[in-house]
Amino acid sequence: MAQPQRQQRQQQQQQQPQRNRKYDLVVFGATGYTGKLTSEQVLQGTPSTLRWAIAGRSPQKLELLAHEYNRLYPDRVPVEIYIADLSEFSVERLASCTRLLISTVGPFIKYGTPVLEACAVYGTHYVDCTGEYPWVYEMIKRCHKTAKRKGAIIIPQAGFESAPIDWGTYALVKAVRDELGVGVTDVTFSVHNLKGQFSGGTVETAMTVFEHATLQELHEASQFDALSPIKGPEQPFRYPIRKDEDLGLLTSWINNSGDRSVVFRSWGLLDGGKYYGEQFTWKEYMRVTSYITAFIWMLLMNVAVIIPLISPLRWLVRKLFHPGQGEGPSEEARRTHSVEWRGVAIADEDTDTPRKAFVRVHSTIDAYTLTAVCLVQAANSILFNKNTMAAEMGGGILTPACLASPELFRLLDRAGLKIETKII
Ligand SMILES: NC(=O)c1ccc[n+]([C@@H]2O[C@H](COP(=O)([O-])OP(=O)(O)OC[C@H]3O[C@@H](n4cnc5c(N)ncnc54)[C@H](OP(=O)(O)O)[C@@H]3O)[C@@H](O)[C@H]2O)c1
């Protein structure tokens, strides 16, 4: 489309104040595995007066879903369907018809850019479940300033990866600040327990990131403070296997880099690093029960990082482990899945034995339902809580921690994610 026509269209649509938009919320990717769970959470966890739509490229699939949702929830404002693909015109229309968009259309590095960009340009709030931090790194460079100027609160990485960890870290810091009056120097997290299986979209995404980013881009985005708005404090070397007196025997965890990228963006966004602490260090491990398991897991984690870099191995993983597009763990399997993280923060006290805070972040629901819960409760906070830190910041590409509030933690608790802290 010609540039002047595009500009004219944007100017006309941007003059529409957010409150006059047709929908409060749209779920884009509603026909996918995570999208369906997200719509179910919208039905269960948002006000019944919410004006909302499910969006995607397949009218037949959307109609079937909308029919079912409206049958099951007759007392709610009926859900509408919205046909959208990834063309510039389509995503701009989509972004301009709603106050908030939840996107579960992935791989995000392949499909996500026009969607997030349109939300930034049209001042539309946005939440997604990407775990692809190299893509988020690019989006921050490209869209943060526009989003802030337009007042769009944009929260990527708000799914199972990495929202619970970001909220858990915030909760630790807040407990230390509230009870001891200081910041923290060091936080260690462990994946204490994880039972689950991958969806087709997750396997596809893990293999796709490396087809769309160069090694140089991946290296840049993998720096611990790459997503932070300010340079982070130096991080000490830590052995990949170690025993922690509060968390037990720990080994390498594959999602340390992804979760760390979000945590350090939160660190930098919240009072320029002063709220968490200027000497803040952070690392995530996985808990194991013996040194042999620790060693085997450490090797497996290193192999898992290398596989997606090699094209024939990517082909093999797709062939052997891909459950199929739109597929994922069955409802019955999901009932047996759960996840728990534990974390410890050391208070920034000038003594040889500084006090500590402990957090337990545990979910009685599986990782995919948890993703849907995190997305929908993040959306609720943006739409209905005008006093979040994200609202005070006025928008931009932010993090789940920027939405943290007692109200959000209460809603998460009710939906199955419990975040409990204590000073130890
Ligand atoms: N990090 C986390 O915590 C987390 C958790 C869950 C999921 N995820 C991510 O979320 C993404 C989705 O996963 P999933 O398992 O739900 O995948 P999925 O079942 O394959 O769903 C993908 C969705 O995207 C839509 N889509 C794909 N290409 C499209 C296009 N060109 N135009 C419009 N729509 C398109 C699909 O529509 P059709 O039905 O029409 O094909 C479907 O609705 C993946 O990137 C996954 O990694 C991340």
Side-chain angles (χ1 to χ4, degrees):
M1 167 156 307
Q3 208 55 16
Q5 242 177 311
R6 185 184 181 202
Q7 276 169 3
Q8 202 181 16
R9 192 174 74 234
Q10 287 185 355
Q11 272 163 10
Q12 277 168 2
Q13 290 182 326
Q14 283 164 18
Q15 279 159 8
Q16 281 242 348
Q18 256 234 13
R19 64 179 180 282
N20 291 348
R21 295 194 176 171
K22 185 168 185 200
Y23 303 114
D24 295 314
L25 183 153
V26 171
V27 177
F28 187 36
T31 54
Y33 184 77
T34 312
K36 284 182 199 161
L37 294 171
T38 303
S39 297
E40 284 166 23
Q41 286 304 317
V42 172
L43 290 162
Q44 290 165 27
T46 62
S48 60
T49 50
L50 190 89
R51 298 163 304 145
W52 73 294
I54 49 176
R57 59 183 169 175
S58 322
Q60 295 88 342
K61 287 191 202 173
L62 289 170
E63 269 160 23
L64 280 176
L65 288 169
H67 182 263
E68 186 63 3
Y69 298 154
N70 291 331
R71 188 182 68 78
L72 290 171
Y73 292 84
D75 296 335
R76 290 188 63 100
V77 171
V79 59
E80 295 187 16
I81 66 166
Y82 194 100
I83 314 303
D85 58 30
L86 296 171
S87 67
E88 189 181 275
F89 178 68
S90 184
V91 289
E92 289 192 0
R93 268 185 62 234
L94 177 64
S96 60
C97 77
T98 181
R99 292 171 60 208
L100 186 145
L101 185 82
I102 296 180
S103 179
T104 59
V105 176
F108 289 84
I109 205 163
K110 194 169 170 189
Y111 300 134
T113 302
V115 184
L116 190 150
E117 197 164 32
C119 287
V121 168
Y122 285 92
T124 304
H125 305 313
Y126 166 98
V127 181
D128 78 32
C129 60
T130 185
E132 300 149 67
Y133 60 91
W135 175 69
V136 178
Y137 177 65
E138 280 311 309
M139 290 300 94
I140 290 169
K141 285 198 280 185
R142 196 161 155 164
C143 303
H144 173 70
K145 283 196 184 126
T146 309
K148 194 166 170 71
R149 193 158 36 85
K150 298 290 170 69
I153 296 174
I154 294 196
I155 316 274
Q157 295 175 279
F160 155 73
E161 294 168 278
S162 307
I165 279 280
D166 198 32
W167 286 323
T169 303
Y170 176 85
L172 273 175
V173 174
K174 183 157 181 1
V176 172
R177 282 255 166 231
D178 287 355
E179 294 191 38
L180 308 178
V182 292
V184 308
T185 52
D186 177 72
V187 172
T188 305
F189 259 91
S190 79
V191 179
H192 188 77
N193 159 43
L194 175 62
K195 286 194 208 110
Q197 279 166 264
F198 293 128
S199 73
T202 301
V203 175
E204 186 53 33
T205 299
M207 296 303 113
T208 301
V209 174
F210 295 86
E211 290 167 344
H212 287 261
T214 63
L215 277 178
Q216 177 60 28
E217 286 165 346
L218 289 173
H219 174 72
E220 261 181 47
S222 300
Q223 302 308 305
F224 76 94
D225 55 355
L227 305 194
S228 169
I230 54 171
K231 191 167 166 31
E234 203 172 314
Q235 301 295 295
F237 170 78
R238 303 213 221 182
Y239 288 104
I241 297 175
R242 58 180 268 229
K243 193 149 193 175
D244 183 282
E245 61 179 5
D246 304 296
L247 302 174
L249 184 59
L250 305 175
T251 189
S252 310
W253 171 238
I254 194 158
N255 209 37
N256 172 58
S257 303
D259 288 341
R260 184 183 61 183
S261 68
V262 182
V263 168
F264 272 95
R265 184 157 180 79
S266 300
W267 169 83
L269 285 168
L270 301 180
D271 204 11
K274 292 191 190 72
Y275 184 68
Y276 279 27
E278 285 173 300
Q279 304 309 317
F280 181 76
T281 67
W282 192 94
K283 187 153 173 75
E284 183 181 14
Y285 293 89
M286 180 180 171
R287 181 192 69 114
V288 282
T289 46
S290 75
Y291 277 98
I292 293 178
T293 334
F295 188 70
I296 293 171
W297 264 108
M298 187 188 74
L299 289 181
L300 283 176
M301 293 293 149
N302 286 308
V303 171
V305 170
I306 292 166
I307 287 175
L309 294 171
I310 302 165
S311 168
L313 293 182
R314 287 201 294 267
W315 175 84
L316 198 65
V317 168
R318 282 183 170 118
K319 192 97 189 134
L320 295 180
F321 301 110
H322 203 310
Q325 217 62 36
E327 299 296 321
S330 68
E331 200 177 334
E332 196 188 347
R334 282 208 316 269
R335 267 190 239 118
T336 64
H337 296 167
S338 61
V339 52
E340 174 173 342
W341 295 267
R342 291 185 179 186
V344 171
I346 299 177
D348 188 4
E349 293 179 318
D350 197 9
T351 138
D352 288 345
T353 52
R355 285 168 291 178
K356 294 190 260 184
F358 176 82
V359 70
R360 186 166 171 241
V361 182
H362 61 116
S363 162
T364 48
I365 47 180
D366 66 281
Y368 286 92
T369 310
L370 176 58
T371 293
V373 163
C374 294
L375 291 173
V376 171
Q377 294 310 337
N380 264 336
S381 283
I382 297 172
L383 288 173
F384 302 115
N385 185 349
K386 300 289 167 242
N387 302 317
T388 60
M389 292 175 282
E392 274 168 29
M393 286 173 201
I397 301 189
L398 307 176
T399 59
C402 299
L403 298 173
S405 69
E407 174 63 6
L408 172 67
F409 284 13
R410 246 193 316 278
L411 290 169
L412 289 169
D413 189 291
R414 205 184 300 158
L417 179 70
K418 306 201 177 301
I419 302 174
E420 295 156 344
T421 54
K422 61 179 178 191
I423 300 297
I424 52 173

